[in-house]
Amino acid sequence: MLVLLAAVVPNGIIYAQDTSGTVQTEETSEADESGLVQELSDGESGNESLSEEDTSGDDETDAEMTDELLNGDESSVNDTGADSDGRDDTAAGENSDDTDTEEEQVPTLRYQAHIAKKGWLSSVSEGQTAGTTGQALQLEAITVSLENVDSEKWTGSGITYSAHVRKIGWQSSVSNGQTAGTTGQALQIEAVKIELTGPIAEEYDVYYRVHSQTYGWLDWAKNGEIAGSVGYAKRAEAIEIVLVKKGEAAPGSTDKSCVYSRVNCWAHSQTIGWQSVEKEGEISGTTGQAKRLEALKLQLSSELEYSGSIEYQVYVQKYGWMEWKSDGEIARTTGEAKRIEAIRIRLTGDIANYYDVYYSVHMAKIGWSGYACNGAVVGTIELSKRLEAVKVVLVKKGVDSAPDTSGTKYVEVTHPEIFPTVLRSREPGVPVPWFREPQLE
């Protein structure tokens, strides 16, 4: 069927344009002028085709007007960008481009805190605070979930986390929205560890920090490191967690994300026996009670990120230097009530590449020595002076500040027959004829 667009003008002429561009005209009566568009068919439809007639003068002008009308309509249609089916080609093209440049899904986190006296708080989004600060309320449980994860790209990805709980210690890890910690038992979380699992762990790091009793906001830990405190009975009060693409900067300082005792010390004192464990930097033994230190043992924390051992040796009344002991073994004489007069301590294994060990002793009638380091002797030799207490600290190389090493560290006499009644001590670099520096074996 041939479809023609037709227009009626006031002079009674129909101007029509077929699909080939041919303009056809036909005179019309006034009755016909009421129709603005007619559908014409070819011979097979039984209707006669419009015959072409010559036009001149005003007729030509009218024809030009009609052409402009028809062409104008056609131009208007083209300007809309719609095709013969009524679809917007421009819009379709834009949608196609949008599909091709669809943004990558960015994973996010959502987590929730259970707080003493409040219960479960509303969950929060990545980077926000879950818990409370300034209210002295302990964090008791948490849940953490990954959201908006591309199921095709990161199939099998997840997040696992564990809590160090008062009176319990480290719990087994849980994952993907499960509860870490306790509820209904009034037990505080003190530290947490969080890490990503599966393919997403190759593209993202998870950073987290804890607001801890006494210490406030600690620095950021990441990927399974400890955030909080261990061994000091300090409650965690709030937590923040963020995802960071690998290679991008951490959300803040990462220097001190956890407070824990890296080395623990036990002392056996005269008439007291074994005392409770003392943490890094604390006094193990007694002062001001004139009680001799009779035995000693040291042990590194299992939370340390490097492997290795701590070794220690004691100089004992009448026996001299005893054998080196390590990792919780007892350095002493057995049942003989002999005083320890000097000690030396060192690290071995991988940890020695990252940490130094410093130690100070309290000597009878002398008081606290300056700190010695990495195997140097501290105390007295052949002066019958008992040790009464000891302090031990680990210092991370290039990160932590070393304790004060000034002052007397050890005293040794090489000629007891001429040793004066007044105690003499040697400062480093100041020679004294009857003193010599003990040599390490």
Side-chain angles (χ1 to χ4, degrees):
M1 181 175 65
L2 179 64
V3 178
L4 302 181
L5 295 175
V8 179
V9 294
N11 63 0
I13 304 297
I14 290 179
Y15 292 89
Q17 184 177 22
D18 62 19
T19 56
S20 66
T22 304
V23 176
Q24 301 178 5
T25 63
E26 181 176 333
E27 294 185 358
T28 62
S29 64
E30 293 181 0
D32 293 333
E33 290 178 7
S34 60
L36 297 181
V37 179
Q38 294 184 356
E39 179 177 88
L40 303 177
S41 60
D42 55 15
E44 293 178 358
S45 65
N47 295 327
E48 294 183 358
S49 301
L50 295 175
S51 61
E52 181 179 352
E53 293 185 7
D54 294 334
T55 60
S56 61
D58 292 339
D59 294 340
E60 291 179 359
T61 301
D62 292 339
E64 291 174 2
M65 292 174 60
T66 304
D67 287 340
E68 290 176 1
L69 174 63
L70 292 173
N71 291 335
D73 289 342
E74 211 171 86
S75 176
S76 298
V77 170
N78 291 335
D79 286 344
T80 64
D83 59 15
S84 59
D85 294 330
R87 293 176 300 178
D88 190 334
D89 290 335
T90 304
E94 290 176 353
N95 291 338
S96 176
D97 291 342
D98 289 344
T99 302
D100 294 339
T101 59
E102 183 179 352
E103 293 185 1
E104 178 184 345
Q105 281 184 251
V106 178
T108 59
L109 293 168
R110 195 153 195 88
Y111 45 100
Q112 190 175 16
H114 186 281
I115 301 296
K117 300 182 181 180
K118 293 179 179 288
W120 286 108
L121 303 182
S122 298
S123 62
V124 298
S125 300
E126 180 176 338
Q128 295 180 320
T129 300
T132 62
T133 60
Q135 300 182 44
L137 296 176
Q138 65 193 27
L139 179 66
E140 296 180 342
I142 61 170
T143 66
V144 187
S145 298
L146 274 175
E147 295 185 342
N148 198 38
V149 176
D150 188 327
S151 59
E152 295 184 1
K153 183 177 181 181
W154 292 317
T155 300
S157 294
I159 188 164
T160 64
Y161 42 99
S162 60
H164 187 280
V165 179
R166 177 72 170 162
K167 298 182 180 179
I168 296 176
W170 284 108
Q171 296 179 316
S172 299
S173 295
V174 297
S175 60
N176 304 324
Q178 295 177 318
T179 299
T182 62
T183 59
Q185 300 183 48
L187 296 176
Q188 65 195 26
I189 287 179
E190 297 175 348
V192 298
K193 295 187 288 188
I194 306 175
E195 58 186 329
L196 299 171
T197 60
I200 195 171
E202 299 176 4
E203 296 191 35
Y204 284 88
D205 295 315
V206 58
Y207 283 85
Y208 44 99
R209 66 174 183 167
V210 164
H211 189 279
S212 184
Q213 176 188 358
T214 304
Y215 306 113
W217 282 111
L218 295 169
D219 293 335
W220 294 88
K222 74 168 184 176
N223 300 343
E225 296 173 347
I226 302 172
S229 67
V230 176
Y232 289 94
K234 303 294 185 182
R235 65 179 174 269
E237 298 175 343
I239 186 171
E240 293 177 351
I241 315 173
V242 296
L243 291 180
V244 175
K245 250 193 169 178
K246 285 193 179 294
E248 295 183 1
S253 173
T254 59
D255 289 342
K256 191 175 183 180
S257 63
C258 179
V259 179
Y260 65 98
S261 179
R262 293 171 290 195
V263 57
N264 295 317
C265 182
W266 292 260
H268 188 283
S269 298
Q270 175 187 356
T271 73
I272 296 175
W274 285 109
Q275 300 181 62
S276 59
V277 60
E278 299 295 345
K279 298 175 177 59
E280 182 176 4
E282 296 179 348
I283 297 173
S284 188
T286 63
T287 60
Q289 300 182 47
K291 295 187 180 297
R292 63 181 173 264
L293 186 64
E294 298 178 343
L296 182 73
K297 59 181 181 179
L298 302 172
Q299 190 160 30
L300 296 175
S301 171
S302 60
E303 311 296 347
L304 283 164
E305 62 271 48
Y306 305 107
S307 61
S309 297
I310 186 167
E311 297 183 342
Y312 39 99
Q313 188 181 32
V314 295
Y315 186 94
V316 177
Q317 172 189 0
K318 292 187 178 180
Y319 292 101
W321 288 108
M322 308 295 286
E323 293 182 356
W324 284 93
K325 300 294 182 178
S326 64
D327 302 328
E329 295 177 334
I330 299 173
R332 67 169 179 182
T333 57
T334 303
E336 298 185 40
K338 301 297 183 185
R339 63 180 174 267
I340 293 176
E341 298 179 350
I343 64 171
R344 49 191 179 190
I345 306 172
R346 65 190 181 191
L347 299 173
T348 61
D350 193 36
I351 194 171
N353 297 320
Y354 301 94
Y355 284 90
D356 296 313
V357 58
Y358 286 80
Y359 41 98
S360 172
V361 297
H362 191 277
M363 299 175 279
K365 298 183 180 181
I366 299 176
W368 284 106
S369 71
Y371 276 90
C373 177
N374 296 342
V377 175
V378 62
T380 69
I381 295 178
E382 301 299 339
L383 293 177
S384 301
K385 298 297 178 185
R386 65 181 175 270
L387 296 190
E388 298 175 342
V390 60
K391 295 185 291 188
V392 184
V393 295
L394 294 190
V395 173
K396 197 166 189 179
K397 295 179 179 181
V399 177
D400 299 336
S401 298
D404 185 9
T405 58
S406 63
T408 301
K409 298 179 182 62
Y410 64 88
V411 181
E412 180 182 17
V413 62
T414 59
H415 299 284
E417 68 279 2
I418 62 172
F419 184 72
T421 57
V422 179
L423 181 68
R424 301 288 299 275
S425 65
R426 184 180 80 86
E427 292 292 338
V430 179
V432 178
W434 48 74
F435 289 94
R436 65 179 172 82
E437 180 176 348
Q439 300 298 310
L440 293 180
E441 294 179 353

